Each structure stands twice: as structure tokens, then as C-alpha cells.
Amino acid sequence: MLKKGVERKEVLRALGEVFRAHGYEGASLTLITEATGLGKGSLYHLFPGGKEQMAAEVLADIDGWFELNIYAPLRDANDPARAIAAMIAGVDQYFHSGDRVCLVGLVALGSARDTFAETVDDYFARWQVALAQLLRRSGLSRSQAQRRAEDALLTIQGALVLARARNDAGIFRRALSDLMARLLAP
Amino acid sequence: MLKKGVERKEVLRALGEVFRAHGYEGASLTLITEATGLGKGSLYHLFPGGKEQMAAEVLADIDGWFELNIYAPLRDANDPARAIAAMIAGVDQYFHSGDRVCLVGLVALGSARDTFAETVDDYFARWQVALAQLLRRSGLSRSQAQRRAEDALLTIQGALVLARARNDAGIFRRALSDLMARLLAP
DNA sequence: CAGACACTGTACCGATCGGTACAGAGAGTC
DNA sequence: GACTCTCTGTACCGATCGGTACAGTGTCTG
């Protein structure tokens, strides 16, 4: 028998990588069974809702990671500069310095977008709010803070796309370092 | 009989929209026949190479549009400010102010990336070079110009992703207008 | 009008899709 | 050891996948 909590997390991690590599529609059950090491029987026992439930839980898992490691620290921070540096470091770590794709962005672009529209919107919205509020506390106006936070999210997404398109992780590194400077500017 | 050149262009346009909406793997032949109004017979007569040839020609068609409407004007420009404004306007027009997705970026993120890696890389590389050379002519250093051009491409891609994810075309508009200012800064 | 040739609709192919049914394996409880 | 309940491998389902074969149909050339 499985240690339910632990094992499920590991399955979700493997599922995430499959979805990242092939997109929602491209991730066939064959690929999924290979990546997870679980047969269809186990898979549909764990996720009675099928592929859609798998993807939903993977997205929720990702959301949870960002909530814990990015959004909450942003909200709780006293020192803006430190908090922003921590966010940049967390993002760099999560995306493996540009090697890893953003599943939320990938879903947003594909035709599965409508199915997960709320989750996708929420992921970015909460990030933007948390970052914007931090920037406000550092002295920016409400609208400036919002715009700058929007710019940050967009830069990260764009850097991931371009890094992958050009197969050059340096793009991601440079974008993050520029972004940090831009966020901290007076 | 068809006016070959004209008709083929129209088919490619329809194909492009299908690929944009569903991605390369998600664009089934059923969807393609519906979008183009052509049966399988016609489709495989026009594109003996199947789906892969269709996608390749669509990408080549897009590349051609950008070469004509974006890259070449960038290369031939005397007035940098005017040229950059024209580029921004062209981009805004092409992407329907953020409603339309970038197929090249979409392919880059999906698993069809390897198949079209060279085309994808080339698309961005030529854009970046054309823009960077213009920026050099406007007085920037080589490395500054390159970085700023990279930032421009990445901003456009990121804005498209975020605009779609949050279903807010305003994001794209704002990003383009900020980008213009950033490109023209001394 | 005859023949050539570009084009198209339909039937069909094997493979794979997401999903289901179910018998049984394995571990925990009494 | 009998029973329960979670978990899993396998066979199978109808639908759809990308692609092929081919007999047309229409149009242009001689």
C-alpha cells in the first residue's frame, strides 16, 4: 500500500513533466503511464476524473508551490529589495534557469485554455496582486505598482518562450537580472 | 481549376488559424477540413507531405509576412523612431491587438518544437538582428542594441501569453506602448 | 470530340486515442 | 485463516487519429 500523501505528490510531479513536455492534448495516456510507472488501472483509481482531473490537480499543485514559495513571502515581506530578489531567485529555481516551461502559460495558449481558464487567471492574478502590493509599500503609486507587476509576469513568460524558441537559457538569465533592476528602480 | 497562387494563400491562412487555435498536435484533419472547406483528397493533393508540410508552409508564410512587413522596413529605415513606431504598429495589427496568438511561439513551446526548430529560431533571430542593427544606427552600443532587441521580442511574446491567460487585451496594448518608449530611450 | 491532367469525395487502412470492466493481487483487521 | 478494502494489470470499447487508394469530375489542350 502507498503512503498516500507522499506518493500522490510524486505522481503529480511526473504528470507535470509530461504535460509540460507535450501539452495537455499531447499528453497521451501511453506517455502518462510511462512517465508515472502506473498502469491505467492505477491511474483511473487515483484520478477517477481522468486526464482532466490529472491536469487540474497538477495545476493546483503548481499553484500551491507558488503560493508557498512566491506569493506568501511577497505578502509577508518587510524589505522590498530582499523580497524581490527572493522572488527572482525562486522563479529561476522553479524554471530551471529557463530550461523548464511554464505549464500555466502553456495551457493558456492551447485549446485546453477554456477548461482551466479560472485556474490560469487566478494564478497570474494572485501573483500580480502580491507583487503590486509589495511595490506599493516600497513607495510606488497604485497604478505604477500594478503596471510594474504586470510587466514582471509578462517578462518571465516571454523569457521562457524566447529561451525555448532560441534554445538559449541565457535569455532567461538576462531577462531575470534586467527585471530585478527594473522592479527595484525608484 | 484554381488560381493556384491566390487559392493556396487562402488555404494557408485558414490552416494558420486552425494551428493557432489548437496547436500543431491538436489540429486534427477533421478540424482542418472544416476550416479550409477542403476534403482529404484535396488536402493531400495540395500538401503531399501531410500535416507536417502544412505546418511548414504556414510557418514559411508567416515568416514571409514578417520579412516583408517588419524585418525589411527595419533594415531599410533611416529614421529609427519612425521605424520602431511602424514595427509596433505592424505587430499590433498582426496580433489583432493581443487577440491572436503567436504561432511560432506556440510551436516553440509544444512538442512539435524539434521538428520546426530551425524555422522557429530563424524567425526570432532575423527579427532580433534587424532590430538590433537599427538600434545601433540610432547610437546604441552593439551589446546594448542586442539586449534591447532581445527584450523587445520577449516582451511581445510575454504580452501575448499573459493577455491570453488573463483574457485581457489591454495587457498587450500597454506592453506595446511601454516597449516603444523603452526602445526609443537614449 | 478525345485525351490529358488537375482536382475532389468517399471508402477504407492500421494505429492510437481516452476511458471502462473486472478479476485478482496485496496488505490490514479480526 | 477468512474477510475487507485498496490498488493494479489486462483485455476491451467505440471513436478518432493521420494517411492512402481510387474512381470519379471538371477543365483545358489538341
Side-chain angles (χ1 to χ4, degrees):
Chain A
M1 194 144 348
L2 303 172
K3 293 147 286 177
K4 291 184 98 172
V6 178
E7 177 77 4
R8 196 176 186 88
K9 278 275 173 199
E10 282 170 26
V11 173
L12 286 177
R13 274 239 333 267
L15 281 173
E17 296 311 322
V18 182
F19 284 128
R20 253 183 270 272
H22 299 92
Y24 178 71
E25 26 268 331
S28 70
L29 288 199
T30 307
L31 287 169
I32 291 175
T33 56
E34 282 167 6
T36 57
L38 296 171
K40 286 189 182 185
S42 317
L43 242 18
Y44 275 83
H45 177 74
L46 251 50
F47 305 95
K51 243 177 96 167
E52 191 170 321
Q53 186 185 350
M54 296 179 207
E57 288 203 25
V58 168
L59 288 175
D61 190 50
I62 292 172
D63 195 273
W65 191 94
F66 275 83
E67 176 60 39
L68 182 69
N69 297 92
I70 307 283
Y71 309 162
L74 239 28
R75 283 193 285 261
D76 299 340
N78 298 317
D79 179 350
R82 206 184 212 60
I84 284 168
M87 179 189 91
I88 298 282
V91 166
D92 186 57
Q93 178 204 329
Y94 184 83
F95 292 114
H96 298 171
S97 300
D99 271 353
R100 211 187 198 191
V101 143
C102 175
L103 184 55
V104 186
L106 184 54
V107 167
L109 288 183
S111 44
R113 173 204 176 204
D114 295 344
T115 313
F116 304 108
E118 201 181 322
T119 311
V120 167
D121 184 68
D122 207 51
Y123 167 85
F124 288 115
R126 278 166 43 231
W127 193 345
Q128 189 183 348
V129 168
L131 181 53
Q133 284 176 350
L134 177 84
L135 292 172
R136 277 219 79 180
R137 269 177 277 142
S138 83
L140 260 55
S141 75
R142 185 191 189 79
S143 68
Q144 265 185 316
Q146 259 179 5
R147 262 308 282 123
R148 214 174 268 197
E150 187 171 289
D151 172 64
L153 303 200
L154 154 181
T155 298
I156 293 166
Q157 292 298 311
L160 288 169
V161 172
L162 200 59
R164 193 156 186 88
R166 307 221 48 199
N167 196 28
D168 176 4
I171 294 172
F172 188 68
R173 276 190 292 102
R174 285 191 289 275
L176 281 192
S177 110
D178 278 24
L179 175 60
M180 175 135 67
R182 233 185 294 151
L183 282 173
L184 292 173
Chain B
M1 193 141 354
L2 303 173
K3 294 146 285 176
K4 292 182 99 174
V6 178
E7 178 76 5
R8 196 176 187 89
K9 277 275 174 198
E10 282 170 27
V11 173
L12 287 177
R13 273 237 336 265
L15 281 174
E17 295 311 322
V18 182
F19 283 128
R20 251 183 272 272
H22 300 91
Y24 177 71
E25 26 269 330
S28 70
L29 287 200
T30 306
L31 287 170
I32 292 176
T33 56
E34 282 167 8
T36 58
L38 295 172
K40 286 190 181 184
S42 317
L43 242 18
Y44 276 83
H45 178 73
L46 251 51
F47 306 95
K51 242 177 97 168
E52 190 171 324
Q53 185 186 349
M54 296 179 208
E57 288 202 26
V58 167
L59 288 174
D61 190 49
I62 292 172
D63 195 275
W65 190 94
F66 275 84
E67 176 60 39
L68 182 69
N69 297 91
I70 307 282
Y71 310 162
L74 238 30
R75 283 193 284 261
D76 299 341
N78 299 316
D79 180 349
R82 206 186 212 58
I84 284 168
M87 180 189 90
I88 298 281
V91 166
D92 186 57
Q93 178 204 330
Y94 184 82
F95 292 113
H96 297 171
S97 301
D99 272 352
R100 211 187 197 190
V101 144
C102 176
L103 183 55
V104 186
L106 184 55
V107 167
L109 288 183
S111 44
R113 173 203 176 204
D114 295 345
T115 314
F116 303 108
E118 201 182 319
T119 311
V120 167
D121 184 69
D122 207 52
Y123 168 85
F124 288 114
R126 279 166 41 232
W127 192 347
Q128 189 183 349
V129 168
L131 180 54
Q133 284 177 350
L134 177 84
L135 293 172
R136 276 220 78 180
R137 270 178 276 141
S138 82
L140 262 53
S141 76
R142 185 192 190 77
S143 68
Q144 265 186 315
Q146 261 180 6
R147 263 306 282 125
R148 213 174 270 197
E150 187 172 287
D151 172 65
L153 303 200
L154 155 180
T155 298
I156 292 166
Q157 291 299 311
L160 288 169
V161 172
L162 200 59
R164 194 158 186 86
R166 307 222 47 201
N167 196 27
D168 175 4
I171 295 172
F172 189 68
R173 275 190 293 102
R174 285 191 290 274
L176 281 193
S177 111
D178 278 23
L179 175 61
M180 177 135 66
R182 233 185 292 151
L183 282 173
L184 293 173

